Amino acid sequence: MKYIIFEDFSGRAIPVLFPDRIEHGELREQLPYSTVLSAGYVNHSGGGFVCHGEAKSLGAAAGQGDAAVIERHFQQGEP
């Protein structure tokens, strides 16, 4: 899967996960958030989420804390 982590209007990091067949740039155009914090690819292994790669079209890459942001989002049950 692919992902983009945006900064929402209150300053929180919001991850959006989506299928590989959708381009990072295409999804970016559909969302109102102004700031892309990071983007790349995400896999879920037995030990949790693993983020890697980059989204050249956004000028963003996977960040060291991205897996933790995604994990936290699922644990908190946020929409």
Side-chain angles (χ1 to χ4, degrees):
M1 294 195 81
K2 294 180 181 178
Y3 77 95
I4 302 173
I5 297 181
F6 293 96
E7 182 177 11
D8 75 3
F9 303 110
S10 65
R12 294 183 323 157
I14 302 295
V16 177
L17 281 61
F18 54 100
D20 287 341
R21 69 178 178 273
I22 299 172
E23 297 297 323
H24 284 99
E26 292 173 339
L27 184 77
R28 172 68 186 106
E29 291 175 6
Q30 302 303 314
L31 297 171
Y33 300 123
S34 61
T35 303
V36 172
L37 300 176
S38 57
Y41 297 83
V42 61
N43 298 313
H44 189 270
S45 67
F49 291 100
V50 177
C51 298
H52 57 91
E54 63 183 329
K56 291 181 182 179
S57 63
L58 302 180
Q64 187 173 2
D66 290 356
V69 169
I70 294 169
E71 183 74 34
R72 207 168 30 252
H73 188 78
F74 279 97
Q75 289 176 349
Q76 294 173 356
E78 295 181 14

